[in-house]
Amino acid sequence: MIGGFAEGHLHGRLRRDRETLLRKLDGLSEYDARRPLTATGTNLLGLVKHVATVEARYFGEVFDRPSPEPEPPPRWQDSDGSDLWAAEHETRDRITEFYRRTREHSDATIDELPLDAPGHVPWWPEPHADTNLFAVLVHVLGDSIPSRA
């Protein structure tokens, strides 16, 4: 009983937070969507790109369910933080559509797997790399979605 409640609650929260993030772009000029908001150059459109990349990896690669979405350009995954800003050539439409398609694949993973479905996060240190869908959902919610920003 708690498993179904937990899954519904966590997935519902993820969906709500995603919509909140996209709504932050509503009505913003290109300048404001791309304006650096931190010393590292992070901008709002870059956060959308980052969250899309995070979901593609966590709800795809971790559960051996590669996304049918073409991999984002390698620079979107660079450790230099370039996935946290939108470069001039990266259009708002391209980034938001990538996010929408990635969300569909993530939702399918969440809907089709039980919370205790095993996953492996190769970039996490051992022994934590072997995990499950519940832990990944909690991690993504706590680490990647700016719900109140």
Side-chain angles (χ1 to χ4, degrees):
M1 181 164 156
I2 192 71
F5 170 79
E7 185 172 0
H9 177 74
L10 292 171
H11 199 181
R13 166 87 187 268
L14 181 64
R15 286 180 170 130
R16 183 194 74 212
D17 290 353
R18 290 167 171 164
E19 289 305 316
T20 299
L21 178 60
L22 284 178
R23 273 196 312 270
K24 304 289 185 194
L25 290 171
D26 289 348
L28 289 183
S29 67
E30 279 300 304
Y31 172 80
D32 286 333
R34 295 168 179 280
R35 182 169 48 103
L37 300 173
T38 69
T40 62
T42 301
N43 57 41
L44 186 55
L45 193 54
L47 285 176
V48 173
K49 181 172 71 170
H50 172 75
V51 171
T53 302
V54 165
E55 281 201 35
R57 295 193 75 201
Y58 275 103
F59 296 115
E61 180 181 338
V62 166
F63 296 99
D64 198 25
R65 296 171 55 92
S67 175
E69 180 67 29
E71 278 294 309
R75 66 181 307 266
W76 283 20
Q77 299 176 28
D78 286 348
S79 61
D80 67 356
S82 61
D83 69 327
L84 291 170
W85 63 78
E88 188 175 335
H89 70 280
E90 297 169 332
T91 67
R92 182 189 302 212
D93 286 344
R94 179 177 179 214
I95 291 171
T96 57
E97 284 306 311
F98 170 66
Y99 187 34
R100 285 188 175 96
R101 290 188 304 270
T102 297
R103 288 170 26 185
E104 290 174 7
H105 186 262
S106 297
D107 286 342
T109 296
I110 296 165
D111 289 340
E112 293 171 19
L113 298 178
L115 282 178
D116 62 351
H120 180 78
V121 185
W123 53 93
W124 285 3
E126 294 294 341
H128 307 290
D130 290 322
T131 189
N132 60 38
L133 180 58
F134 176 80
V136 167
L137 268 165
V138 170
H139 177 79
V140 168
L141 280 167
D143 192 49
S144 302
I145 306 288
S147 62
R148 297 179 194 251

